[in-house]
Amino acid sequence: MNRPEILRWLREGRPSDLKTLWSRADAARRKNVGDAVHLRGLVEISNHCVRSCAYCGINRAHRGITRYRMTAHEVLACARQAVGLGYGTVVLQAGEDPGLRRAAVADLVRRIKKDTGLAVTLSLGERDDGDLVAWKQAGADRYLLRFETSNPDLYARIHPSLPGRPSDRFALLRRLRALGYEVGSGVMIGIPGQTYESLADDIETFARLDLDMIGVGPYLPHPATPLGRGGLPLLPAREQVPNTELMTYKVVALARLVAPESNIPATTALATLNRTHGRELGLSRGANVVMPNLTPPRYRVLYEIYPGKACVQETATQCGFCLKERIHRLGRHVGAGPGSRRRSASALPA
Ligand code: SAH
């Protein structure tokens, strides 16, 4: 898949032609990662954050929310629940929270591994090298860090650096790989100021980084953020990528075609745009992973990175049953074990 082709698909609007894209992506998914859908239980362990990301509802400037940090005991209970529900992985996600201290997170990872044997994925933002080293040694398997956009000017506008600490997520992704983590990244789709050219760059970047996981979702405006209040001007309509469901499916499908063996979730942000079929359509157009939420409901409502998140009212058990139902109805099955990225010599980007 070359760049002109990527751009052509991103601009394609005819449903009959898009069917070709969906079926190519679905065939590449089946051939390279099979019919298993891996379930990763998501635990949102803290909504404290030192960053001022212009898109994110838990950024530090948002004073209107109650901040929480789960105890190790609470997180472990969620991990045990993940085992009970048959998930292979637990994902610990948070704002960038220095209160999640190196030793405490390392201990937590060790205990989860020892008690449950689950694969552990961390998504804790841009942390010191010493943290990343310690957590790998403690047994963490994977790290998720989206680069959000490959356009450096747009990135600088939406993701301000901390004083004296330039934000270089590409350098961090390389470092995570060198440390032995499976590495996941991705972007938001339809950020104000995101052009088709820059989204095509993002998709080419997925392949170049040889990512193990690729997470993409629509940008969803949060009214309490600079971006949600209209802080960045939209480009002329011809240039601006829309933050739509359709555009998200296209990027999921293209991600599958450029990186055929990677694990690609049908994200909650996608399910938020289409509650009844978003996840299924994502799974039929290239995705092979779902991340059911395990965060206790009283915290879940406070982890509001964007408003109206799907499934925010459901208990972990309801969420697990509902997803398994949906997966079976698609003729697919729940993946057993950790669902690590497969690597075969034969997979070549389409
Ligand atoms: N602090 C961690 C985790 C952030 S939340 C980190 O920065 O990596 C995980 C992802 O949610 C972010 O990487 C971003 O891509 C997405 N996100 C945040 N705000 C969003 C919004 N308003 N709409 C859609 N996705 C959003």
Side-chain angles (χ1 to χ4, degrees):
M1 168 89 42
N2 58 29
R3 186 183 177 83
E5 254 185 295
I6 293 174
L7 275 167
R8 187 172 71 73
W9 283 121
L10 291 177
R11 290 193 179 273
E12 180 60 67
R14 286 165 297 193
S16 54
D17 284 14
L18 283 168
K19 267 197 192 147
T20 310
L21 178 61
W22 312 145
S23 59
R24 278 179 64 184
D26 199 37
R29 187 271 307 154
R30 189 173 311 117
K31 173 165 176 261
N32 290 282
V33 294
D35 281 337
V37 176
H38 300 288
L39 299 178
R40 326 277 205 211
L42 177 67
V43 190
E44 295 151 335
I45 64 174
S46 161
N47 71 349
H48 288 270
C49 194
V50 292
R51 295 252 163 206
S52 312
C53 302
Y55 46 87
C56 182
I58 62 169
N59 80 58
R60 63 178 298 181
H62 188 187
R63 307 242 177 258
I65 47 171
T66 304
R67 302 283 172 169
Y68 72 89
R69 187 178 299 119
M70 289 172 65
T71 64
H73 184 74
E74 289 172 321
V75 179
L76 267 166
C78 292
R80 291 199 190 99
Q81 210 172 4
V83 177
L85 291 165
Y87 305 165
T89 299
V90 70
V91 181
L92 309 185
Q93 191 180 81
E96 210 166 292
D97 175 13
L100 293 171
R101 311 200 54 101
R102 180 182 301 174
V105 174
D107 265 359
L108 182 59
V109 170
R110 244 179 253 115
R111 287 192 59 189
I112 294 175
K113 298 292 296 183
K114 181 160 166 285
D115 288 10
T116 69
L118 292 172
V120 175
T121 303
L122 300 176
S123 177
L124 304 176
E126 295 161 51
R127 301 285 307 220
D128 286 349
D129 199 63
D131 296 345
L132 303 177
V133 170
W135 300 340
K136 187 77 196 78
Q137 280 169 357
D141 300 275
R142 311 184 184 126
Y143 207 98
L144 299 180
L145 186 76
R146 290 187 178 177
F147 58 83
E148 314 294 4
T149 166
S150 54
N151 176 328
D153 295 333
L154 182 59
Y155 182 71
R157 268 181 280 150
I158 65 171
H159 189 95
S161 288
L162 296 176
R165 290 186 59 182
S167 168
D168 185 347
R169 289 195 165 201
F170 292 110
L172 271 170
L173 290 168
R174 281 193 298 276
R175 179 66 180 145
L176 287 162
R177 165 72 40 87
L179 288 171
Y181 286 93
E182 270 188 62
V183 177
S185 193
V187 298
M188 285 175 288
I189 297 159
I191 313 162
Q194 184 182 49
T195 61
Y196 285 85
E197 294 285 342
S198 110
L199 186 54
D201 286 342
D202 296 345
I203 293 166
E204 291 190 304
T205 304
F206 296 157
R208 200 172 51 249
L209 295 177
D210 187 27
L211 294 172
D212 303 306
M213 290 95 71
I214 301 172
V216 298
Y219 159 67
L220 299 167
H222 190 302
T225 58
L227 213 51
R229 285 191 293 262
L232 278 185
L234 277 179
L235 299 162
R238 246 198 75 67
E239 289 307 314
Q240 172 67 46
V241 171
N243 59 340
T244 56
E245 193 188 339
L246 180 64
M247 188 58 73
T248 307
Y249 297 132
K250 289 184 191 180
V251 180
V252 166
L254 291 167
R256 172 59 65 204
L257 292 171
V258 302
E261 293 191 328
S262 63
N263 285 319
I264 301 180
T267 54
T268 306
L270 175 57
T272 298
L273 286 187
N274 179 344
R275 279 159 203 272
T276 45
H277 300 300
R279 284 210 178 88
E280 282 90 334
L281 286 169
L283 289 173
S284 310
R285 295 170 176 180
N288 71 322
V289 169
V290 177
M291 297 170 70
N293 201 319
L294 284 175
T295 314
R298 67 180 180 288
Y299 297 132
R300 206 184 297 182
V301 292
L302 301 174
Y303 195 83
E304 200 194 42
I305 52 183
Y306 49 80
K309 235 201 273 176
C311 308
V312 86
Q313 305 293 353
E314 289 180 24
T315 65
T317 314
Q318 284 166 336
C319 206
F321 281 121
C322 162
L323 287 173
K324 284 179 208 164
E325 254 305 297
R326 288 169 187 253
I327 289 163
H328 290 142
R329 266 189 262 130
L330 288 173
R332 309 264 284 273
H333 59 271
V334 174
S340 298
R341 187 247 174 111
R342 275 197 219 164
R343 278 177 190 277
S344 74
S346 65
L348 288 173

